[in-house]
Every structure is written in C-alpha cells, then in structure tokens.
C-alpha cells in the first residue's frame, strides 16, 4: 500500500474523482467531509469520516487516529455569486476552516498539502492568458478567501517549512470517463450541467421555447458579449494533483508553490451552448438575463508552468470530451427536479 492521503471535501465533485484516482493507484484514502454539499455515496474505495474543518477537535481526532502522509484540501464553499451575498460563510469556512486544518496538520507533524485554489484569485486580469505571476486582485469574496489562504500557506512555508502546492483551477468540467462518478451540486449553478439539464428537459418532451436556461449577461467586452472561461476536465485536474504530490515528495525543500490548471483555451457561454447542441443533437434555447454579481468577463489559463514543472499534460483538452462525458453521466443520472 502506498502513502495514506486525507482528502477533505472528498464527497464533493472534484474531491470524489480524486479519491477514486488515488485509490486506483494503490493509496489508502481517508475522506473528511461534513456532507453539507457533498454526497456520501460518491465516496468510493475510501473511508469516510463525517466531520467539519470548522471543528478543530474533529480534525485532531482524524490526525491522531490515522497515519496520514499528506492532505489534499478540497473542502470549501465555491459559488462565486453566493459568496457576494454571504461573505461571512465564505471567510469562515474557506479561511478559518483551512487555518484549522493546517494547524492540525502542523501539530501532528504533517507538512504536505495540496490546496484547491482558483483562478477567481486573479479577479479581472489586465492581460490574457493568465500566468502565475499575473497580479491577483479578486473581485468577489470567494476569490478573496482563496487568496488569503495562499498567503497563509506562503507564510507557513517560510516559518514552519510547511510544504504546499496551491492549484489554481479554471473551470472544472466533465465526469468520470468510465461513467462511475459525475457532477451533483445542490443547487446546481454551473453552466455546463444547466445546459445539459435543459437538453434533457427537451428530450423528455419539454417545449424548447420555454427554456429554463438563463445566460447571465450578453454585454460583456468579449467577441460575442458573453463570458469566456477555460474548461478543464475533472479527470485532468486530478492527474495534476497526483503530479503535484510527486513533486512534493521529490523536493522536500519546497515551500509554497502555485500552479494554474487550465487548457489555455477559452469558450464563451454561447460557444458552450453551441457545442452542447452538437453533442446532444438537441435544440437548446436560452433566455438572456442580467449579469450575475462577481463574474469577470474572461478567464483563460496559461498552464505551461504546470506542464513543465509538474510534467502534467491534459488528456482531454477539448471541451467536447468534457461535454460528452457529462452528457453520458446526466443521461443515466438525471436530476430529480427536471
Ligand atoms: N452562467 C450562465 N448561466 C448559468 C450559469 C452560469 O450564463 O445558468 C455563466 C456565468 O455567468 C459564467 C459562466 O457561465 O460567465 C460560467 O459560470 P459557472 O457558474 O459555471 O462557473 P464560474 O466561472 O462562475 O465559477 C467556477 C467555479 C468557481 C471557480 C470558477 C473559476 O464554480 O469555483 O469557476 O472561473 F472559481
């Protein structure tokens, strides 16, 4: 058996895919999740400890009871719009919760952390594509909360030799290639699933003219007026974590590092809808509504540092892969409230 890895948020979308990938590679995996937004049945091939990163005693118990070598920290609130209206829960969960976690790790002599950061830390970048040295000026509390943690990790690296790699995700997309796991948020707010839900509704006989799909703003300064994002397959995000973990093992002197994870290609909301029409063969209509709070117009990664230093390469760089895998998943696992 290889090293034991604790995955916080392992019942969530990206975390649950990570659990499976690590377990498949022979790691013992322990999931720590409060199940507030995750699903217990998404935890496959791992021990599930139900606990909250807000609770230092629950965290201490996990580290005391198991011989953990490293932590991958996914547990977080991650809705941009929600963070604008409820900043309190974002700072408490994402910043204080992470501080509890790394203090518990430090107290138990565990100094290896892979942290789920985000391109939302860049805010509205002055130039594209975004590299790791692009200035970070978040424009919503979610991005601020993740940037605060990055700073804490740098300071812990300098002071305590605490090793960390912060992975700044662009937009996670897709589902497990073998169809075993998918995306299940409640409520669902992400673009790709919502487009595919609309396709399912129409496939089930719903009227295309009564679309449930809303586009948040068509007056952004982009080529078609809608927001542009860099969509990265969830499976590729996971292989990047494994690569980051290997780098950490090979470089014990490592302090805090940060890498962008994207595919260096942007799609506008309208382009994603067009791609979904092709994959599903369904006439997907939409309504244009006002902008959502906190949305930057365009986020595209320069992920060359991850490709070089982590020796990582996305296996599914095209959005069609993500859409096809997601469509396969949602076709078999439609949401209850379609
Ligand atoms: N959008 C719509 N209609 C919807 C949902 C989304 O038009 O019903 C638009 C959004 O306004 C945005 C784009 O589609 O322009 C993508 O929105 P998502 O909600 O799918 O994703 P976000 O970019 O807002 O956020 C996601 C993650 C964050 C992460 C961010 C990085 O949820 O955690 O990607 O860009 F930080």
């Amino acid at each position: 058996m290889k090293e034991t890895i604790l995955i916080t948020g392992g019942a969530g979308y990206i975390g649950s895919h990570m659990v499976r990938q690590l377990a498949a590679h022979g790691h013992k995996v322990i999931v720590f999740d409060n199940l507030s937004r995750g699903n217990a049945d998404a935890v496959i091939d791992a021990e599930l400890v139900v606990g909250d990163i807000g609770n230092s005693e629950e965290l201490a118990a996990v580290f005391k009871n198991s011989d953990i070598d490293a932590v991958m920290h996914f547990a977080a609130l991650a809705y941009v719009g929600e963070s604008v209206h409820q900043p309190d829960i974002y700072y408490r969960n994402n910043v204080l919760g992470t501080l509890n976690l790394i203090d518990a790790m430090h107290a138990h002599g565990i100094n290896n952390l892979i942290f789920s950061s985000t391109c939302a830390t860049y805010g509205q970048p002055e130039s594209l594509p975004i590299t790791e040295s692009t200035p970070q000026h978040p424009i919503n509390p979610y991005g601020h909360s993740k940037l605060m943690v990055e700073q804490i990790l740098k300071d812990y690296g300098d002071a305590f030799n605490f090793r960390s790699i912060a992975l700044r995700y662009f937009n996670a997309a897709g589902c497990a290639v073998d169809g075993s796991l998918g995306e299940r948020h409640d409520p669902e707010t992400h673009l790709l699933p919502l487009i595919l839900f609309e396709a399912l509704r129409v496939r089930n006989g719903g009227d295309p003219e009564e679309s449930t799909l809303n586009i948040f703003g068509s007056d952004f300064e982009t080529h078609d007026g809608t927001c542009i994002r860099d969509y990265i397959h969830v499976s590729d995000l996971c292989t990047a974590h494994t690569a980051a973990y290997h780098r950490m093992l090979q470089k014990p002197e490592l302090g805090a590092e940060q890498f962008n994870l994207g595919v260096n290609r942007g799609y506008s909301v309208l382009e994603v809808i067009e791609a979904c029409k092709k994959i599903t063969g369904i006439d997907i209509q939409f309504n244009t509504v006002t902008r959502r709070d906190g949305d930057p117009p365009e986020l595209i990664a320069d992920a060359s540092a991850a490709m070089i230093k982590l020796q990582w390469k996305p296996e599914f760089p095209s959005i069609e892969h993500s859409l096809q895998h997601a469509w396969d998943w949602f076709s078999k696992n439609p949401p209850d409230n379609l």
Side-chain angles (χ1 to χ4, degrees), residues 22 43 84 98 113 160 168 203 250 253 314-315 329 331:
L22 284 174
V43 178
V84 176
T98 303
L113 177 76
F160 305 138
R168 296 176 185 154
R203 192 175 73 176
Q250 282 157 10
E253 76 287 357
E315 190 184 346
W329 164 263
S331 298

Side-chain angles (χ1 to χ4, degrees), residues 77-81 117-121 142 169-172 189-194 212-217 220 226-231 269 291-292 295-297 299:
L77 299 179
Y79 293 133
V80 169
S117 189
T118 170
C119 64
T121 58
Y142 169 61
Y169 309 163
F170 282 64
N171 285 55
T189 65
H190 294 95
L191 180 66
L192 263 60
L194 290 175
T212 58
L213 179 63
N214 292 326
I215 289 189
F216 300 132
F220 288 92
T226 64
C227 287
I228 294 175
R229 296 287 182 271
D230 182 332
Y231 294 90
V269 172
R291 291 183 183 195
R292 190 173 66 177
D295 271 341
L299 297 170

Side-chain angles (χ1 to χ4, degrees), residues 120-167:
T121 58
Y122 294 109
Q124 213 153 309
E126 277 163 25
S127 61
L128 293 165
I130 299 169
T131 70
E132 287 77 1
S133 54
T134 297
Q136 290 171 288
H137 299 298
I139 59 168
N140 50 59
Y142 169 61
H144 276 293
S145 71
K146 291 286 183 171
L147 183 56
M148 286 175 188
V149 171
E150 285 195 11
Q151 184 60 51
I152 293 170
L153 293 176
K154 285 178 192 163
D155 294 339
Y156 273 48
D158 291 342
F160 305 138
N161 193 25
F162 189 91
R163 284 180 291 274
S164 66
I165 296 184
L167 297 174

